Amino acid sequence: MRILRAGITLLIALFVIGGCRNKAELDANGIPGKLMIAVYAGGDNPAAVKSAIQPMGDYFGKKLGIPVEFDFTTDYTSAIEAIRAKKVHIAYLSPFSYVLASQAHDITPIVTLGEGGKHTMYHSVIFTNVKTGTNSMNDVKAKAKSLTLCFSDPASTSGHLIPKAYLRTIGLDPDVAFKQTIFAGSHAASVLSVASGKIDIGCSTSEYGLELLEGKGLVKKEQIKVLWQSDPIVSSPIVARNDLNKELVKKIQGLYINMAKDNPPLFRAYVSLYHTNAEKLSYMTVQDSMYNGIRKIASGIKDLSIVK
């Protein structure tokens, strides 16, 4: 089975079956009885994500005057399904999963991370285990039929969309060019699969994947060789449904923007799971147009299109 078709078929199915069931209800003014927030908690330590995020429920609840509950997902596809099916009001998405979810024009990005007034950027990387003897992308092209490849999550920007598009520009169609192509499930799983020798070539993000696992001592830097790195990618957005009360959205946006200043421990508990410089970061506003570059890349790959 072609791995990409399988992944996109899953996305289509989720959009179709989401429908209108299990909605996070809103009153006539767009106010929920309980604010539901979808948060990706995959990767190598989902328990740490949940532990860091849960206290935000009490913090937001007291500030907003309504209860807050988190819906933890193990992949971005599930987060897309949750907000498109109106099971949640707010969602933490990757840039690519935001582009996918925004095709119906019913969500808006409200914040992303930044430093010193500039939005945080990260990079996609293609890498290998040094034991493979693969030293360049030319080597990958020459040996592709004998190499295994893994992406991270189907809706990942740096772990799927960007490296897939790049591979095609150098004449490698991941569906047919490699011995085997799979989805590892997360950035951490992609890196660990290559580090352990189970997979030859991996795709992930430098900052949230390789560097993070190296910093935690789960992977040794000398085990991995980076073969290619992308141009900078705008950091992941937190998004809100457009039918949510506008004043409530502004309050939620303000709570995120001021969190690093008003409650540093709460802010750093979550952000430090993905960034080694959390003390320098804060949330800031972000515009939909900042993800047009991702849209352009996605639109250039016909079999990445999904039902609107």
Side-chain angles (χ1 to χ4, degrees), residues 278-296:
E279 71 283 354
K280 298 180 180 180
L281 303 177
S282 64
Y283 284 112
M284 59 188 297
T285 58
V286 64
Q287 291 73 46
D288 172 83
S289 61
M290 297 189 70
Y291 298 99
N292 284 344
I294 301 298
R295 285 193 178 91
K296 184 176 180 180

Side-chain angles (χ1 to χ4, degrees), residues 120-186:
T120 300
M121 301 286 185
Y122 67 106
H123 301 81
S124 171
V125 288
I126 298 175
F127 53 93
T128 188
N129 189 309
V130 295
K131 292 181 179 179
T132 66
T134 304
N135 297 305
S136 68
M137 289 308 299
N138 284 333
D139 287 348
V140 173
K141 290 181 66 176
K143 302 192 297 182
K145 282 297 183 181
S146 64
L147 298 174
T148 53
L149 170 76
C150 73
F151 294 114
S152 58
D153 180 288
S156 170
T157 310
S158 57
H160 181 209
L161 174 67
I162 301 296
K164 183 180 184 66
Y166 167 71
L167 287 169
R168 287 190 168 183
T169 67
I170 62 172
L172 291 175
D173 181 346
D175 288 338
V176 297
F178 293 87
K179 179 180 179 181
Q180 181 185 26
T181 300
I182 67 168
F183 285 111
S186 69

Side-chain angles (χ1 to χ4, degrees), residues 1 5 9 12 14 29 38 51 120 169 197 231 243 251:
M1 180 181 293
R5 287 182 178 176
T9 298
I12 293 173
L14 288 173
N29 296 313
S51 178
T120 300
T169 67
D231 291 334
D243 58 350
K251 290 180 181 179

Side-chain angles (χ1 to χ4, degrees), residues 92 103 108 116 119 138 204 213 229 271 288-289:
Y92 288 54
Q103 290 190 21
T108 299
H119 294 94
N138 284 333
S204 182
L213 292 180
Q229 179 173 288
V271 175
D288 172 83
S289 61

Side-chain angles (χ1 to χ4, degrees), residues 15 84 98-106 304-308:
F15 273 72
R84 288 290 291 114
Y98 166 66
V99 167
L100 292 177
S102 68
Q103 290 190 21
H105 307 290
D106 56 2
L304 279 174
S305 60
I306 59 175
V307 175
K308 294 185 179 181

